[in-house]
Amino acid sequence: MAETMTSMQRVLTALSHQQADRLPFFLLVTMHGAKELGLSIKEYFSKAENVVEGQLRLRKKYRHDCHYTFFYAPLEIEAWGGEVLYCDDGPPNTAAPFLKSFTDIKNIEPPSRLADIPALRKVLQATTLLKERVGDTVPIIGVVKSPFSLPVMQMGFERYIELMYEQPDLFARLMRVNEEFCVDWANAQLAAGATAICYFDPVSSPTIISKEMYLKTGFAVAQRTLSRIKGPTATHMASGRCLPIVNELSETGTAVVGVSALEDLAELKRACKSKLTLLGNLNGIEMRLWSAAKAEEEVKKAIAEAASGGGFILSDNHGEIPWQVPDDVLLAVSEAVHRWGQYPLAWLDRQ
Amino acid sequence: MEKLIDDLTDALLSLDRIAVQKIIASASPNISPLSFVENVVVVALDRIGKRWQEGTVSLAQIYMGGRICEQLVDEILPPAAPERKNQPKMAICTLVDHHMLGKSIVYSLLRASGFELADYGSLSVQEVVERVKEDGLKVLLISVLMLPSALQIKTVKDLLNNSNCDVKIIVGGAPFRFDKNLWREIGADCMCENASEAVAVISKVMEEIHG
Ligand code: B12
């Protein structure tokens, strides 16, 4: 069947819990742009123009419904003066944490004049350039790390958990500082042309902290932060679980939740019905070895579990396709969405 | 015994150090430290690990509870105590990976379960191979968070094979939980879904080693 909507219309329809012409799908490809351009990962992310060209080529190739201006998580750490370690066959990681002790928290201030910080400037430029190219036809998804998840990279995971349990005052101070940065950074991307902001908050996942702790921490932080972001937001658990907290997530003001392959998609759909749109949940790590037939099977399964009635965007479950996933697999995923994702889902009704 | 296990599980999950101390004190006249560790601590930690996999317990609880447990077990069973397990020489590391939380949790839980092991920190492929040879390790535990790091374990395995090193490799970390065949692909001897599983796996490996 002919597709009648732009990607933007398709996504907005899904978000209003209606069926579009086809199930929208976000292929959240980042490093694959470097492959397309024949550049190393480090070179690719060194210039906004590379990422723009990569995103345009990837969307042409895979026919998905968004552009994604996520470079890599440690980019935000560069804004605080932290260091990034590149790797030839995977995403960059943070080097040693820049907050060396709890007392360092007393003295940090959020970075200011974000557009003057080279790492952030690249992302803002890429956003603006993409916006010039696609206007309002394709959503441009910007990314922030939540104020509550960022400290893992600022101070290391172990010390952050200890801070959360044992140093409530310093924890509160760190959240205040991070909230300022996060809100500014999200709003700068929206001003540059991003359509929506994906708020990565896996530390709020019940995989990492208990619901009881979440209600006192990540939940309150998200409510304060999201209400100050001047555009639509999606919350991503980066493949951490979320079922026990879906009601709370919707109370934070987010419209979308990125869900894990570790949870049942049909059950998630029931729990989120009319409240949150689901984004997920193909297993990106397993995807590396999928055959075309397996890709098709997985896509059909996800459609059967969650696509009816809208409120679903097909995607991987982490918010980033690993470098090791071959192009053929991504092509097979795309082919399957275009074949089986046309609404109405007649093949599903027949079953 | 069952009551002790339940109480300890609850105390660890609510991070109640004082309650844990009391449980240890109440048990000590009746059972030996090693028996307490093996029959109470190990069972409680195993339950907590399983509940994490089911999604009802969080990693932060496991980390904080594991630290409390490790410290208190150290008091009744000091690091060099002769009662500590008769065990193969083992060590834990991360491989070309800067994420230490998984390693710390496994290290603490193994020590809380009565084992002794070296912590090599974060190493490169070459460094791991050299350390294993130098120290004559029998069991090497590797924790990784990044997929490229997981894939490099294959090289470690090949290099160790080439130098006829008879060491068992036990792996764990997020990539292995998302791809259940990955551990085989990279030539590990075993993988654990959660940190407490390491106790049972090491015991099994020991049986194999001792034939
Ligand atoms: C929270 C989280 C984040 C947070 C914090 C990350 C951090 N630790 O630094 C933030 C938002 C910052 C983040 C960022 C990134 N992340 Co992240 N993140 C996660 C998440 C949800 C949990 C990770 C974590 O730290 N868990 C805590 C550890 C301790 O858990 P664990 O490894 O599972 O360990 C348990 C068991 O496996 C076992 N175990 C572990 N090791 C061992 C060893 C042995 C011997 C044994 C017996 C047992 C055992 O014991 C532990 C307790 O039971 C996972 C997905 C998930 N559902 O797990 C992704 C995940 C780790 N992230 C991933 C990636 C790629 C990234 C980024 C590189 C993305 C990017 N492009 O920038 C960045 C890197 C950030 C950095 N530090 O430099 C990938 C890694 C795999 C891959 N694709 O290569 C994952 C797996 C997501 C996915 N499904 O693909 N992330």
Side-chain angles (χ1 to χ4, degrees):
Chain A
M1 210 190 290
E3 296 190 347
T4 55
M5 292 181 160
T6 63
S7 287
M8 184 72 89
Q9 290 167 331
R10 188 170 295 128
V11 171
L12 289 175
T13 310
L15 291 178
S16 60
H17 300 265
Q18 307 270 320
Q19 299 193 157
D21 56 345
R22 153 172 77 66
L23 170 70
F25 102 103
F26 284 3
L27 197 67
L28 299 175
V29 266
T30 59
M31 296 164 278
H32 283 72
K35 255 185 224 172
E36 288 296 319
L37 270 60
L39 298 174
S40 71
I41 291 171
K42 184 174 179 182
E43 251 181 303
Y44 177 71
F45 286 122
S46 70
K47 275 208 199 88
E49 290 77 7
N50 294 342
V51 173
V52 172
E53 183 60 25
Q55 282 292 312
L56 290 169
R57 287 197 202 178
L58 290 166
R59 182 162 177 278
K60 199 159 169 217
K61 184 165 175 178
Y62 299 116
R63 299 178 291 154
H64 52 275
D65 293 300
C66 72
H67 283 304
Y68 195 38
T69 51
F70 177 56
F71 282 38
Y72 45 80
L75 175 126
E76 289 185 23
I77 289 304
E78 289 179 85
W80 297 78
E83 203 193 321
V84 173
L85 300 168
Y86 288 89
C87 139
D88 294 334
D89 58 356
N93 275 195
T94 35
F98 66 87
L99 289 174
K100 304 279 178 217
S101 71
F102 287 158
T103 46
D104 283 354
I105 295 172
K106 289 187 187 147
N107 305 318
I108 52 161
E109 292 298 333
S112 57
R113 301 165 62 99
L114 301 190
D116 294 341
I117 298 171
L120 305 188
R121 187 166 58 227
K122 281 186 289 192
V123 177
L124 296 175
Q125 279 171 346
T127 310
T128 304
L129 291 170
L130 278 168
K131 178 72 179 177
E132 281 168 20
R133 296 293 290 269
V134 302
D136 288 330
T137 59
V138 184
I140 298 170
I141 312 299
V143 163
V144 296
K145 290 283 154 297
S146 81
F148 183 62
S149 292
L150 193 68
V152 178
M153 293 189 291
Q154 294 174 306
M155 59 192 301
F157 218 148
E158 293 148 80
R159 270 192 303 140
Y160 181 43
I161 295 175
E162 290 160 23
L163 180 82
M164 219 186 283
Y165 279 101
E166 293 168 356
Q167 304 280 343
D169 294 343
L170 290 175
F171 170 77
R173 155 116 180 110
L174 185 60
M175 289 306 108
R176 279 198 297 278
V177 174
N178 284 357
E179 283 167 31
E180 288 315 305
F181 171 69
C182 182
V183 168
D184 283 354
W185 176 221
N187 287 335
Q189 292 182 65
L190 289 165
T195 317
I197 296 295
C198 190
Y199 179 85
F200 269 86
D201 195 18
V203 177
S204 282
S205 158
T207 300
I208 307 291
I209 56 162
S210 63
K211 180 168 178 177
E212 199 187 350
M213 184 57 126
Y214 168 65
L215 291 173
K216 285 191 283 191
T217 56
F219 175 62
V221 171
Q223 278 192 318
R224 288 197 298 266
T225 307
L226 297 185
S227 66
R228 291 169 63 201
I229 295 179
K230 298 179 189 131
T233 51
T235 299
H236 212 303
M237 290 290 150
S239 78
R241 296 169 199 262
C242 73
L243 250 176
I245 57 165
V246 288
N247 291 334
E248 288 72 17
L249 282 172
S250 82
E251 285 167 27
T252 64
T254 196
V256 178
V257 57
V259 295
S260 175
L262 300 176
E263 285 178 322
D264 185 89
L265 196 56
E267 201 180 335
L268 283 162
K269 176 78 182 212
R270 279 192 295 279
C272 295
K273 203 169 171 63
S274 325
K275 284 197 295 257
L276 289 167
T277 290
L278 299 181
L279 175 71
N281 71 346
L282 302 178
N283 184 334
I285 297 209
E286 223 184 52
M287 205 182 270
R288 188 172 58 91
L289 299 173
W290 282 359
S291 64
K294 172 77 173 162
E296 183 175 24
E297 183 191 312
E298 291 291 330
V299 169
K300 283 182 80 172
K301 182 167 165 278
I303 292 177
E305 287 174 348
S308 292
F312 180 47
I313 300 171
L314 186 82
S315 165
D316 72 297
N317 83 145
H318 172 226
E320 175 184 72
I321 307 281
W323 167 257
Q324 284 75 10
V325 176
D327 293 6
D328 284 349
V329 175
L330 299 180
L331 285 168
V333 168
S334 167
E335 190 52 42
V337 182
H338 284 84
R339 172 141 189 228
W340 300 104
Q342 307 289 337
Y343 286 116
L345 302 167
W347 63 272
L348 198 61
D349 298 337
R350 276 197 299 275
Q351 273 180 8
Chain B
M1 194 68 93
E2 196 53 35
K3 168 129 183 24
L4 273 181
I5 298 169
D6 285 344
D7 290 351
L8 183 65
T9 308
D10 291 346
L12 286 174
L13 286 176
S14 42
L15 312 184
D16 189 341
R17 177 187 297 271
I18 298 184
V20 176
Q21 249 161 346
K22 277 191 189 142
I23 293 164
I24 295 180
S26 74
S28 63
N30 310 321
I31 40 181
S32 74
L34 187 63
S35 166
F36 177 77
V37 167
E38 284 184 332
N39 299 310
V40 180
V41 176
V42 170
V43 184
L45 292 176
D46 183 52
R47 277 189 197 169
I48 293 175
K50 290 212 172 79
R51 281 166 60 183
W52 176 67
Q53 252 171 268
E54 293 159 12
T56 51
V57 155
S58 77
L59 225 132
Q61 287 168 293
I62 296 187
Y63 170 64
M64 295 298 281
R67 277 196 340 166
I68 295 177
C69 203
E70 183 191 4
Q71 284 159 7
L72 295 178
V73 166
D74 262 353
E75 284 171 19
I76 54 169
L77 207 62
E83 299 93 337
R84 282 231 169 203
K85 294 213 166 103
N86 172 18
Q87 54 161 68
K89 202 158 186 205
M90 53 189 193
I92 187 164
C93 66
T94 65
L95 185 71
V96 220
D97 205 314
H98 311 276
H99 302 94
M100 300 296 155
L101 180 59
K103 175 175 71 62
S104 301
I105 293 176
V106 177
Y107 180 82
S108 280
L109 294 195
L110 281 174
R111 294 209 61 258
S113 302
F115 289 96
E116 268 314 327
L117 71 165
D119 181 351
Y120 287 169
S122 168
L123 299 181
S124 69
V125 169
Q126 277 306 331
E127 286 165 342
V128 177
V129 172
E130 273 154 34
R131 291 294 293 270
V132 170
K133 287 200 277 193
E134 263 171 41
D135 293 353
L137 282 198
K138 289 288 167 221
V139 176
L140 172 66
L141 300 121
I142 306 179
S143 172
V144 294
L145 202 61
M146 294 294 127
L147 177 59
S149 307
L151 294 170
Q152 291 205 40
I153 297 175
K154 177 96 182 69
T155 319
V156 171
K157 172 77 182 178
D158 290 346
L159 290 173
L160 287 171
N161 270 355
N162 290 347
S163 32
N164 290 324
C165 260
D166 183 19
V167 58
K168 301 278 182 197
I169 300 182
I170 302 175
V171 297
F176 298 104
R177 291 194 293 114
F178 282 90
D179 179 349
K180 305 276 195 251
N181 286 319
L182 183 57
W183 66 275
R184 282 201 188 86
E185 181 187 335
I186 53 140
D189 293 283
C190 209
M191 89 91 161
C192 298
E193 290 253 354
N194 69 62
S196 344
E197 249 179 59
V199 174
V201 163
I202 291 173
S203 307
K204 208 178 100 205
V205 165
M206 279 163 69
E207 276 167 32
E208 280 168 27
I209 293 175
H210 298 301

Short mmCIF file of all heavy atoms in Angstrom, two decimals, chain B residues 140-180:
data_model
loop_
_atom_site.label_atom_id
_atom_site.label_comp_id
_atom_site.label_asym_id
_atom_site.label_seq_id
_atom_site.Cartn_x
_atom_site.Cartn_y
_atom_site.Cartn_z
N LEU B 140 39.69 -17.42 36.15
CA LEU B 140 39.73 -15.99 35.84
C LEU B 140 38.30 -15.50 35.63
O LEU B 140 37.57 -16.03 34.78
CB LEU B 140 40.55 -15.76 34.56
CG LEU B 140 40.53 -14.34 33.99
CD1 LEU B 140 41.21 -13.36 34.96
CD2 LEU B 140 41.23 -14.28 32.63
N LEU B 141 37.89 -14.51 36.42
CA LEU B 141 36.55 -13.94 36.25
C LEU B 141 36.68 -12.62 35.51
O LEU B 141 37.51 -11.77 35.88
CB LEU B 141 35.91 -13.70 37.63
CG LEU B 141 35.74 -14.96 38.47
CD1 LEU B 141 36.47 -14.82 39.79
CD2 LEU B 141 34.27 -15.25 38.71
N ILE B 142 35.90 -12.45 34.46
CA ILE B 142 35.97 -11.20 33.70
C ILE B 142 34.58 -10.56 33.67
O ILE B 142 33.59 -11.21 33.34
CB ILE B 142 36.44 -11.43 32.24
CG1 ILE B 142 37.76 -12.19 32.21
CG2 ILE B 142 36.59 -10.09 31.52
CD1 ILE B 142 38.30 -12.47 30.81
N SER B 143 34.54 -9.26 34.02
CA SER B 143 33.29 -8.51 33.98
C SER B 143 33.41 -7.43 32.90
O SER B 143 34.41 -6.70 32.86
CB SER B 143 33.06 -7.84 35.35
OG SER B 143 31.97 -6.96 35.28
N VAL B 144 32.44 -7.34 32.02
CA VAL B 144 32.45 -6.27 31.00
C VAL B 144 31.07 -5.64 30.89
O VAL B 144 30.06 -6.28 31.18
CB VAL B 144 32.87 -6.78 29.60
CG1 VAL B 144 34.31 -7.24 29.59
CG2 VAL B 144 31.94 -7.87 29.11
N LEU B 145 31.05 -4.40 30.43
CA LEU B 145 29.77 -3.73 30.20
C LEU B 145 29.58 -3.46 28.70
O LEU B 145 28.47 -3.48 28.20
CB LEU B 145 29.72 -2.42 30.99
CG LEU B 145 28.32 -1.88 31.27
CD1 LEU B 145 27.50 -2.84 32.09
CD2 LEU B 145 28.40 -0.53 31.96
N MET B 146 30.69 -3.22 28.00
CA MET B 146 30.59 -2.87 26.59
C MET B 146 30.72 -4.11 25.71
O MET B 146 31.57 -4.98 25.97
CB MET B 146 31.70 -1.87 26.23
CG MET B 146 31.55 -0.52 26.91
SD MET B 146 30.07 0.37 26.35
CE MET B 146 29.28 0.74 27.92
N LEU B 147 29.95 -4.14 24.63
CA LEU B 147 30.01 -5.27 23.71
C LEU B 147 31.40 -5.48 23.09
O LEU B 147 31.88 -6.62 23.05
CB LEU B 147 28.93 -5.09 22.62
CG LEU B 147 28.85 -6.13 21.52
CD1 LEU B 147 28.60 -7.54 22.08
CD2 LEU B 147 27.75 -5.78 20.51
N PRO B 148 32.08 -4.43 22.61
CA PRO B 148 33.42 -4.67 22.06
C PRO B 148 34.36 -5.32 23.07
O PRO B 148 35.19 -6.16 22.71
CB PRO B 148 33.92 -3.27 21.68
CG PRO B 148 32.68 -2.45 21.52
CD PRO B 148 31.67 -3.02 22.47
N SER B 149 34.21 -4.96 24.34
CA SER B 149 35.06 -5.57 25.38
C SER B 149 34.74 -7.05 25.51
O SER B 149 35.64 -7.89 25.63
CB SER B 149 34.83 -4.90 26.74
OG SER B 149 34.98 -3.51 26.63
N ALA B 150 33.45 -7.37 25.47
CA ALA B 150 33.04 -8.78 25.56
C ALA B 150 33.66 -9.57 24.41
O ALA B 150 34.18 -10.68 24.60
CB ALA B 150 31.52 -8.89 25.52
N LEU B 151 33.65 -8.99 23.22
CA LEU B 151 34.16 -9.71 22.05
C LEU B 151 35.67 -9.94 22.15
O LEU B 151 36.21 -10.90 21.60
CB LEU B 151 33.80 -8.96 20.76
CG LEU B 151 32.28 -8.92 20.47
CD1 LEU B 151 31.95 -7.97 19.33
CD2 LEU B 151 31.73 -10.32 20.14
N GLN B 152 36.36 -9.06 22.87
CA GLN B 152 37.82 -9.22 23.00
C GLN B 152 38.23 -10.37 23.91
O GLN B 152 39.39 -10.78 23.92
CB GLN B 152 38.44 -7.92 23.51
CG GLN B 152 38.36 -6.84 22.46
CD GLN B 152 39.44 -5.78 22.66
OE1 GLN B 152 40.58 -6.11 22.98
NE2 GLN B 152 39.07 -4.52 22.47
N ILE B 153 37.28 -10.88 24.67
CA ILE B 153 37.61 -12.01 25.55
C ILE B 153 38.06 -13.20 24.69
O ILE B 153 38.91 -14.00 25.09
CB ILE B 153 36.40 -12.38 26.44
CG1 ILE B 153 36.08 -11.20 27.37
CG2 ILE B 153 36.69 -13.64 27.27
CD1 ILE B 153 34.83 -11.39 28.22
N LYS B 154 37.56 -13.26 23.47
CA LYS B 154 37.95 -14.33 22.54
C LYS B 154 39.48 -14.33 22.35
O LYS B 154 40.11 -15.39 22.34
CB LYS B 154 37.23 -14.09 21.19
CG LYS B 154 37.56 -15.05 20.09
CD LYS B 154 36.50 -16.17 20.01
CE LYS B 154 36.78 -17.20 18.96
NZ LYS B 154 37.92 -18.05 19.21
N THR B 155 40.05 -13.16 22.19
CA THR B 155 41.51 -13.07 22.00
C THR B 155 42.24 -13.54 23.25
O THR B 155 43.26 -14.24 23.16
CB THR B 155 41.92 -11.61 21.67
OG1 THR B 155 40.96 -11.07 20.77
CG2 THR B 155 43.29 -11.55 21.05
N VAL B 156 41.72 -13.14 24.41
CA VAL B 156 42.33 -13.59 25.67
C VAL B 156 42.35 -15.12 25.70
O VAL B 156 43.38 -15.74 25.99
CB VAL B 156 41.54 -13.05 26.88
CG1 VAL B 156 42.03 -13.67 28.18
CG2 VAL B 156 41.61 -11.53 26.95
N LYS B 157 41.21 -15.69 25.38
CA LYS B 157 41.07 -17.15 25.42
C LYS B 157 42.07 -17.81 24.45
O LYS B 157 42.78 -18.75 24.82
CB LYS B 157 39.63 -17.50 25.02
CG LYS B 157 39.35 -18.95 24.83
CD LYS B 157 39.22 -19.68 26.15
CE LYS B 157 39.00 -21.16 25.90
NZ LYS B 157 38.90 -21.91 27.13
N ASP B 158 42.14 -17.28 23.22
CA ASP B 158 43.05 -17.87 22.22
C ASP B 158 44.50 -17.78 22.68
O ASP B 158 45.26 -18.75 22.58
CB ASP B 158 42.88 -17.16 20.87
CG ASP B 158 41.54 -17.49 20.22
OD1 ASP B 158 40.88 -18.46 20.68
OD2 ASP B 158 41.12 -16.77 19.29
N LEU B 159 44.88 -16.61 23.19
CA LEU B 159 46.28 -16.45 23.63
C LEU B 159 46.60 -17.39 24.78
O LEU B 159 47.69 -17.96 24.85
CB LEU B 159 46.53 -15.00 24.04
CG LEU B 159 46.55 -13.98 22.89
CD1 LEU B 159 46.64 -12.56 23.42
CD2 LEU B 159 47.73 -14.25 21.95
N LEU B 160 45.64 -17.56 25.70
CA LEU B 160 45.89 -18.45 26.84
C LEU B 160 45.97 -19.90 26.37
O LEU B 160 46.82 -20.66 26.83
CB LEU B 160 44.79 -18.28 27.89
CG LEU B 160 44.86 -16.98 28.69
CD1 LEU B 160 43.61 -16.81 29.55
CD2 LEU B 160 46.11 -16.93 29.57
N ASN B 161 45.12 -20.25 25.42
CA ASN B 161 45.18 -21.59 24.85
C ASN B 161 46.53 -21.85 24.20
O ASN B 161 47.14 -22.90 24.41
CB ASN B 161 44.10 -21.76 23.78
CG ASN B 161 42.80 -22.28 24.38
OD1 ASN B 161 42.76 -22.61 25.56
ND2 ASN B 161 41.77 -22.35 23.58
N ASN B 162 46.97 -20.86 23.42
CA ASN B 162 48.26 -21.01 22.72
C ASN B 162 49.41 -21.22 23.67
O ASN B 162 50.40 -21.86 23.34
CB ASN B 162 48.56 -19.78 21.85
CG ASN B 162 47.61 -19.72 20.67
OD1 ASN B 162 46.92 -20.70 20.38
ND2 ASN B 162 47.53 -18.57 20.00
N SER B 163 49.31 -20.63 24.87
CA SER B 163 50.42 -20.83 25.81
C SER B 163 50.09 -21.95 26.79
O SER B 163 50.67 -22.01 27.87
CB SER B 163 50.78 -19.52 26.50
OG SER B 163 49.67 -18.72 26.68
N ASN B 164 49.16 -22.82 26.40
CA ASN B 164 48.81 -23.99 27.21
C ASN B 164 48.44 -23.67 28.64
O ASN B 164 48.79 -24.40 29.56
CB ASN B 164 49.97 -24.99 27.22
CG ASN B 164 50.14 -25.63 25.87
OD1 ASN B 164 49.14 -25.89 25.17
ND2 ASN B 164 51.37 -25.86 25.47
N CYS B 165 47.76 -22.56 28.83
CA CYS B 165 47.34 -22.19 30.18
C CYS B 165 46.05 -22.89 30.51
O CYS B 165 45.07 -22.78 29.77
CB CYS B 165 47.09 -20.70 30.25
SG CYS B 165 48.42 -19.84 30.96
N ASP B 166 46.05 -23.57 31.62
CA ASP B 166 44.86 -24.31 31.99
C ASP B 166 44.04 -23.48 32.98
O ASP B 166 44.08 -23.72 34.18
CB ASP B 166 45.33 -25.64 32.62
CG ASP B 166 44.14 -26.49 32.97
OD1 ASP B 166 43.05 -26.25 32.41
OD2 ASP B 166 44.30 -27.40 33.81
N VAL B 167 43.34 -22.48 32.45
CA VAL B 167 42.58 -21.61 33.34
C VAL B 167 41.14 -21.56 32.85
O VAL B 167 40.88 -21.53 31.65
CB VAL B 167 43.22 -20.19 33.39
CG1 VAL B 167 43.28 -19.56 32.01
CG2 VAL B 167 42.45 -19.26 34.33
N LYS B 168 40.21 -21.60 33.80
CA LYS B 168 38.79 -21.51 33.44
C LYS B 168 38.39 -20.03 33.41
O LYS B 168 38.75 -19.28 34.32
CB LYS B 168 37.92 -22.22 34.48
CG LYS B 168 38.26 -23.69 34.63
CD LYS B 168 37.59 -24.52 33.57
CE LYS B 168 37.91 -25.99 33.79
NZ LYS B 168 37.65 -26.80 32.60
N ILE B 169 37.65 -19.66 32.39
CA ILE B 169 37.22 -18.27 32.28
C ILE B 169 35.71 -18.18 32.54
O ILE B 169 34.90 -18.80 31.86
CB ILE B 169 37.53 -17.69 30.89
CG1 ILE B 169 39.04 -17.75 30.63
CG2 ILE B 169 37.03 -16.26 30.77
CD1 ILE B 169 39.47 -17.16 29.30
N ILE B 170 35.37 -17.39 33.57
CA ILE B 170 33.95 -17.17 33.90
C ILE B 170 33.62 -15.71 33.59
O ILE B 170 34.33 -14.81 34.06
CB ILE B 170 33.68 -17.46 35.39
CG1 ILE B 170 34.08 -18.90 35.72
CG2 ILE B 170 32.22 -17.22 35.74
CD1 ILE B 170 33.96 -19.25 37.19
N VAL B 171 32.60 -15.48 32.79
CA VAL B 171 32.30 -14.11 32.38
C VAL B 171 30.93 -13.67 32.86
O VAL B 171 30.06 -14.49 33.17
CB VAL B 171 32.35 -13.96 30.84
CG1 VAL B 171 33.76 -14.23 30.33
CG2 VAL B 171 31.34 -14.88 30.16
N GLY B 172 30.74 -12.35 32.90
CA GLY B 172 29.44 -11.79 33.25
C GLY B 172 29.38 -10.33 32.87
O GLY B 172 30.39 -9.73 32.48
N GLY B 173 28.19 -9.75 32.94
CA GLY B 173 27.98 -8.35 32.58
C GLY B 173 26.86 -8.22 31.57
O GLY B 173 26.45 -9.20 30.96
N ALA B 174 26.37 -6.99 31.40
CA ALA B 174 25.16 -6.74 30.62
C ALA B 174 25.14 -7.40 29.22
O ALA B 174 24.13 -7.99 28.86
CB ALA B 174 24.91 -5.23 30.51
N PRO B 175 26.22 -7.33 28.42
CA PRO B 175 26.11 -7.92 27.07
C PRO B 175 25.75 -9.40 27.11
O PRO B 175 25.03 -9.89 26.23
CB PRO B 175 27.50 -7.73 26.47
CG PRO B 175 28.12 -6.64 27.26
CD PRO B 175 27.53 -6.70 28.63
N PHE B 176 26.19 -10.10 28.14
CA PHE B 176 25.90 -11.53 28.23
C PHE B 176 24.46 -11.78 28.63
O PHE B 176 23.91 -12.84 28.38
CB PHE B 176 26.86 -12.22 29.22
CG PHE B 176 28.29 -12.11 28.78
CD1 PHE B 176 29.16 -11.22 29.40
CD2 PHE B 176 28.77 -12.88 27.73
CE1 PHE B 176 30.48 -11.11 28.98
CE2 PHE B 176 30.08 -12.77 27.30
CZ PHE B 176 30.94 -11.88 27.92
N ARG B 177 23.86 -10.81 29.30
CA ARG B 177 22.46 -10.98 29.68
C ARG B 177 21.55 -10.74 28.48
O ARG B 177 20.45 -11.27 28.41
CB ARG B 177 22.09 -10.04 30.83
CG ARG B 177 22.78 -10.42 32.14
CD ARG B 177 22.16 -9.71 33.32
NE ARG B 177 22.41 -8.28 33.27
CZ ARG B 177 21.48 -7.37 33.10
NH1 ARG B 177 20.21 -7.70 32.98
NH2 ARG B 177 21.81 -6.09 33.05
N PHE B 178 22.01 -9.92 27.54
CA PHE B 178 21.17 -9.63 26.37
C PHE B 178 21.39 -10.63 25.24
O PHE B 178 20.54 -10.78 24.38
CB PHE B 178 21.42 -8.19 25.88
CG PHE B 178 20.71 -7.18 26.74
CD1 PHE B 178 21.32 -6.63 27.85
CD2 PHE B 178 19.40 -6.83 26.46
CE1 PHE B 178 20.65 -5.72 28.66
CE2 PHE B 178 18.72 -5.92 27.25
CZ PHE B 178 19.35 -5.37 28.36
N ASP B 179 22.54 -11.27 25.20
CA ASP B 179 22.78 -12.30 24.18
C ASP B 179 23.26 -13.56 24.89
O ASP B 179 24.41 -13.68 25.31
CB ASP B 179 23.83 -11.81 23.16
CG ASP B 179 24.11 -12.87 22.10
OD1 ASP B 179 23.67 -14.03 22.26
OD2 ASP B 179 24.77 -12.53 21.10
N LYS B 180 22.33 -14.51 25.02
CA LYS B 180 22.59 -15.68 25.87
C LYS B 180 23.63 -16.64 25.29
O LYS B 180 24.05 -17.58 25.95
CB LYS B 180 21.28 -16.44 26.13
CG LYS B 180 20.19 -15.59 26.73
CD LYS B 180 20.33 -15.48 28.23
CE LYS B 180 19.08 -14.96 28.87
NZ LYS B 180 19.06 -13.65 29.42
#
